[in-house]
Amino acid sequence: MKILVGYTHTSGGADALRLGTRLAQALDAALEITMVVTGDAGGLRHVRTTAAGWLDEAKASVPSGVAVETSLEFADSAASGILAASRRLGTTLIVVGGRERLGTVANALLHASRVPVAVAPPGHADADPVPLRRVTAAVGLREGAEDVMRAGVLAASRIGAEFRVMSLVSLDARQIGSAAEAEALAAAHADRVRAFVAQVAPDGVQPAVDVPTGRRIEDAVRHADWDPGDLVVVGSSRLASRGRIFLGSTAGKMLRELTVPLVIVPRDTEPTFDDEESTP
Amino acid sequence: MSDATAHKPTGTDEQAGGISKKGLSAGSVGLIGAIVIGISCIAPAYTFTAAIGPTASAVGLQVPAIILVGFIPMLLVAFGYRELNRSMPDSGTSFTWATRAFGPWIGWLGGWGLIAATILVLSNLAGVAVDFLYLLIAQITGNAGIADLAGNPFINVVTCLAFMAAATAISYRDMQTTQRLQYLLVGFQILVLVVFAVAAFVHVANGTGFDPTPIALEWFNPFAVDSFSAVAAGLSLSIFIFWGWDVTLTMNEETEGSATTPGRAATLTVLIIVGLYLLLSVALISFAGVGTGEYGLGNESIQENVFFHLSHLVLGPFAWLVSLAVLSSSAASLQSTFVSPARTLLAMGHYGAISPKFARVSPRFFTPGYATIVSAVVASAFYAVMRFVSENVLWDTITALGMMICLYYGITAFASVWYFRRTFTRSLRNFVFQLLCPGIGGVILMVLFFTTIIDSMDPAYGSGSSLFGLGLVFVLGMVVLGVGVVLMIVQYARRPAFFRGETLAVAAED
């Protein structure tokens, strides 16, 4: 398995590289660090040499034991360059930094990629590099939730991590006022999630189920229990065309609040994490 | 190619392996793109509206002849640029090539000539954009008072700085919209100019011209001009009206076609511009004549902006299109001109001729960020200060730029002659394009350089201001050159390696 890191010589790039390294270590995968050079000045020798120097620095910072290659890609936009490099190199996971309210690059990727995209939270490079030890599938009880569950289960087993299922509840969205009402709703929702999990989870998998509540989705995310070793898996919006990813509104709200990495998987695909592109 | 030895070994061999084949072309600007940037930089609409009147006053009906004569040194020099680019594609252009041919001192001065001229003209372009913005608003709203707002120094400077900031942001971010925006602005500009010319011809044919003048072959004959000094005056103007095509040479270094595309773009840009100017000058002269009547090209009160004054006669209700074309012309040029000083500063920083900070590349946008910002700050500060101190100084500095342009074009032309001294005997082609053309072009530019210096000593030159009995244009030209020499000596003290030829060695093609 190969993981592509969309790298820039910025703090966002460092965040992406750190997450890529953690994922590569956890999944026993190889890293492809790609820097996309955009704009007219990409034709200048000095710019290319500088970019190549940054890539060398990035490569040198990856701990030994992780296989790593670097490449420069030239494209009209960073996102299109990352997607082109991913196709060319046959990588099955793309990792980017999510600085600056997600950033235009991550945003574009999160609405177009055919392979899962992992987003590193801001400041990830400075966080404790604990091993990934829990995978959280964040699901709604709607169509597509099974895909996310399967992807989460697969990732957890590949990593050798714990697996849990999370379903966020916004009280405002359901016009819930009192605390008692909220508790009752959360309990009822948790029951539905458990029933759903029992129905669709692969044999022998009995994940923990967590139903955090909050006035808004953002509050629910903040109230949830997070661990530095967490990795969150979310599905694509139903707006996504088949086989592509499309960041839905709930996932987008999660992404803004999360302090742990998040992976978004394409719609209607069987996740493989293997070298061939996952097939619809 | 002896080029590899000229560069500091900062890169690694791995980079070449990492560049995908497809990627090689993706990071480059194509022929059309380079021509668009070249035309944008020249800003034909803005240049021509200001230059046609004074040229007509100097040479009468022979404006097309003078355009042709002025075009010759440009084309000759462009051939030299093309040869140098073919041998050493480098965004430092004049600086790098002159250093390779003549050593660090002349190379540094060549770079200074380009940087000083382009940075100072940035302030001029922004200033012109301000004037035309308020003129356009006045024209569209029918409220003539709005045009006077540009005369208020506070409003003027604030608007000017806003234009400058926008252009800087676009250059710094190298937005993907930049190229599309340039295509649009340049396309619109040329379209309006051609429509203007055609409409003028239609008026002449219908007998509704202001002073219909039958087109004659004599207009194209430079020997029909009364005096040599009139030809020389016309030539000086032509330096300005063609200046800017060399930006195309800074576009590509490491991409497919980088040895041929920029040079071809430069020559094609010059050819397209001369065609456009000839069409416009013939159209305007046949429509309005060169007399000093109300709308004659010789009337000094309309010469500042001929298109504007003639536009309602030629285009009627669509007259505002012309102001919009001139505005987009100066705005587009403001943006594309940024490319030149930023890339020369980048090269000078890279080779250690100035602070290595100038070689900094923005990690997000891959542009010479530091060099771009410094260029913008200097141009803005110059304009803001001078607009309050003295408008005469402001405009006379712009006039003095002609010297800088002659200097760096001339140095580059001679760099071609000297750098190819061992190869020009090998073929007739080499002889013509490496020696003969740039040699003659260089001599013409040097003659212009010195005659401009001598002429500008006259207090009546330019705005007519003087200092110590010498023309202000002369004094300012010498100040700009002198600042360059002082800065060069400071850099020599700080960064002797470049001046010992350790980073960019003198060489010759062989």
Side-chain angles (χ1 to χ4, degrees):
Chain A
M1 175 183 181
K2 283 199 284 189
I3 298 173
L4 184 140
V5 174
Y7 186 72
T8 49
H9 186 65
T10 60
S11 55
D15 294 339
L17 183 58
R18 166 60 63 78
L19 177 57
T21 305
R22 292 177 75 202
L23 285 164
Q25 287 168 330
L27 292 161
D28 195 22
L31 275 188
E32 287 281 353
I33 307 176
T34 293
M35 182 178 278
V36 182
V37 177
T38 54
D40 295 349
L44 303 188
R45 188 183 308 114
H46 177 66
V47 170
R48 294 183 178 208
T49 319
T50 305
W54 287 334
L55 273 180
D56 289 345
E57 276 177 48
K59 184 179 181 178
S61 76
V62 174
S64 59
V66 177
V68 49
E69 295 290 334
T70 61
S71 61
L72 275 181
E73 187 80 19
F74 297 87
D76 289 341
S77 76
S80 66
I82 287 173
L83 291 176
S86 171
R87 277 193 301 275
R88 182 165 54 81
L89 299 166
T91 57
T92 44
L93 178 61
I94 293 171
V95 185
V96 291
R99 278 238 173 219
E100 296 167 33
R101 280 198 236 102
L102 201 50
T104 50
V105 178
N107 197 40
L109 283 177
L110 290 174
H111 294 96
S113 176
R114 285 185 175 276
V115 297
V117 174
V119 183
H124 197 59
D126 306 319
D128 256 351
V130 299
L132 294 168
R133 56 195 172 208
R134 181 168 65 181
V135 173
T136 301
V139 296
L141 295 180
R142 296 191 281 205
E143 116 187 57
E146 292 119 293
D147 290 343
V148 182
M149 292 263 300
R150 272 202 296 274
V153 168
L154 182 70
S157 74
R158 289 285 289 263
I159 294 172
E162 246 180 83
F163 178 60
R164 77 171 164 171
V165 175
M166 178 180 281
S167 193
L168 299 159
V169 179
S170 157
L171 301 175
D172 278 357
R174 300 176 190 223
Q175 291 164 340
I176 300 282
S178 74
E181 269 184 299
E183 222 165 273
L185 174 80
H189 187 74
D191 286 341
R192 283 208 301 281
V193 174
R194 270 187 213 100
F196 175 72
V197 167
Q199 196 186 329
V200 303
D203 292 341
V205 176
Q206 283 183 315
V209 171
D210 195 358
V211 180
T213 58
R215 296 245 65 92
R216 299 169 304 140
I217 290 291
E218 289 90 333
D219 302 316
V221 173
R222 274 201 299 272
H223 293 161
D225 150 59
W226 298 113
D227 177 272
D230 270 326
L231 177 71
V232 180
V233 179
V234 297
S236 293
S237 152
R238 278 159 297 165
L239 293 171
S241 50
R242 199 175 155 76
R244 284 187 193 271
I245 67 175
F246 192 101
L247 186 71
S249 68
T250 306
K253 288 171 186 166
M254 289 187 76
L255 197 46
R256 280 193 288 276
E257 292 299 326
L258 276 177
T259 53
V260 296
L262 174 143
V263 181
I264 176 167
V265 294
R267 195 183 145 206
D268 302 332
T269 56
E270 195 64 42
T272 63
F273 290 109
D274 287 327
D275 272 357
E276 288 74 32
E277 269 195 31
S278 41
T279 44
Chain B
M1 303 239 178
S2 51
D3 197 39
T5 57
H7 299 283
K8 285 196 288 187
T10 47
T12 60
D13 287 331
E14 277 171 31
Q15 76 184 70
I19 295 171
S20 65
K21 192 71 186 160
K22 184 169 163 283
L24 269 177
S25 57
S28 70
V29 176
L31 182 66
I32 305 287
I35 292 173
V36 166
I37 298 291
I39 294 176
S40 162
C41 212
I42 295 173
Y46 151 58
T47 306
F48 201 79
T49 193
I52 176 85
T55 311
S57 288
V59 301
L61 290 170
Q62 274 71 39
V63 175
I66 284 300
I67 289 171
L68 281 173
V69 170
F71 153 78
I72 289 166
M74 287 299 131
L75 188 67
L76 297 179
V77 171
F79 285 134
Y81 269 79
R82 195 183 66 178
E83 293 302 305
L84 287 164
N85 176 75
R86 192 197 303 274
S87 172
M88 303 177 272
D90 193 292
S91 74
T93 59
S94 297
F95 158 75
T96 309
W97 299 332
T99 305
R100 294 280 274 161
F102 298 125
W105 298 93
I106 293 181
W108 209 100
L109 279 181
W112 174 254
L114 182 147
I115 292 163
T118 47
I119 288 186
L120 291 176
V121 88
L122 282 175
S123 66
N124 170 256
L125 288 165
V128 169
V130 173
D131 289 342
F132 277 87
L133 174 68
Y134 289 110
L135 197 61
L136 178 68
I137 297 174
Q139 220 171 346
I140 289 175
T141 59
N143 181 350
I146 291 176
D148 300 334
L149 287 177
N152 177 320
F154 286 100
I155 293 178
N156 188 302
V157 167
V158 168
T159 317
C160 179
L161 294 186
F163 268 115
M164 194 70 91
T168 310
I170 292 173
S171 300
Y172 184 82
R173 299 178 64 99
D174 199 351
M175 293 176 192
Q176 281 314 303
T177 50
T178 309
Q179 269 210 358
R180 259 168 269 157
L181 184 72
Q182 288 287 350
Y183 275 81
L184 188 76
L185 292 177
V186 170
F188 175 73
Q189 183 182 172
I190 291 180
L191 183 71
V192 170
L193 292 180
V194 170
V195 166
F196 189 91
V198 170
F201 284 130
V202 170
H203 278 290
V204 173
N206 293 342
T208 50
F210 167 72
D211 176 13
T213 313
I215 299 170
L217 217 51
E218 257 318 75
W219 294 7
F220 297 89
N221 177 8
F223 300 104
V225 181
D226 298 342
S227 67
F228 176 74
S229 70
V231 175
L235 269 179
S236 298
L237 278 167
S238 72
I239 298 299
F240 274 109
I241 66 177
F242 289 107
W243 178 42
W245 50 266
D246 49 313
V247 72
T248 61
L249 279 306
T250 68
M251 303 310 282
N252 298 320
E253 294 173 341
E254 289 274 280
T255 51
E256 277 175 50
S258 61
T260 50
T261 306
R264 197 173 295 161
T267 34
L268 283 172
T269 301
V270 175
L271 285 168
I272 291 169
I273 288 292
V274 77
L276 192 62
Y277 284 167
L278 288 177
L279 174 73
L280 285 169
S281 58
V282 171
L284 283 174
I285 294 173
S286 63
F287 178 86
V290 294
T292 52
E294 190 180 4
Y295 296 110
L297 299 182
N299 178 356
E300 281 188 23
S301 62
I302 72 161
Q303 285 186 348
E304 188 188 314
N305 186 356
V306 168
F307 281 146
F308 170 73
H309 289 281
L310 294 183
S311 58
H312 68 279
L313 298 183
V314 176
L315 293 177
F318 299 106
W320 56 274
L321 276 176
V322 171
S323 292
L324 188 60
V326 178
L327 175 63
S328 54
S329 168
S330 51
S333 184
L334 177 62
Q335 206 270 309
S336 52
T337 302
F338 257 112
V339 171
S340 273
R343 291 189 175 189
T344 293
L345 286 166
L346 176 81
M348 291 179 80
H350 174 61
Y351 292 118
I354 51 174
S355 164
K357 284 180 190 166
F358 286 95
R360 280 189 196 160
V361 175
S362 156
R364 285 181 65 200
F365 307 111
F366 300 97
T367 53
Y370 186 84
T372 303
I373 303 275
V374 170
S375 305
V377 168
V378 173
S380 304
F382 174 77
Y383 185 88
V385 171
M386 288 307 168
R387 192 67 179 65
F388 283 105
V389 171
S390 159
E391 270 198 75
N392 283 345
V393 176
L394 187 59
W395 301 123
D396 278 349
T397 310
I398 303 304
T399 310
L401 294 188
M403 293 179 208
M404 306 300 133
I405 302 166
C406 289
L407 179 71
Y408 86 79
Y409 273 180
I411 286 179
T412 312
F414 289 135
S416 166
V417 172
W418 189 240
Y419 184 76
F420 295 112
R421 62 189 179 276
R422 291 189 204 131
T423 57
F424 67 69
T425 50
R426 295 215 183 121
S427 68
L428 180 63
R429 191 205 154 278
N430 282 6
F431 180 79
V432 170
F433 292 120
Q434 296 177 346
L435 174 77
L436 197 63
C437 290
I440 296 172
V443 168
I444 296 174
L445 285 163
M446 279 302 132
V447 168
L448 278 175
F449 176 66
F450 287 109
T451 51
T452 312
I453 287 182
I454 294 164
D455 290 351
S456 63
M457 289 170 143
D458 181 352
Y461 199 84
S463 67
S465 311
S466 63
L467 209 62
F468 318 119
L470 292 165
L472 187 58
V473 173
F474 171 79
V475 175
L476 291 169
M478 292 304 116
V479 166
V480 174
L481 275 178
V483 168
V485 171
V486 170
L487 287 177
M488 178 167 65
I489 292 168
V490 171
Q491 297 305 317
Y492 168 67
R494 285 195 182 171
R495 283 169 251 284
F498 167 75
F499 291 89
R500 286 197 295 257
E502 289 168 16
T503 57
L504 192 56
V506 176
E509 175 99 335
D510 53 19

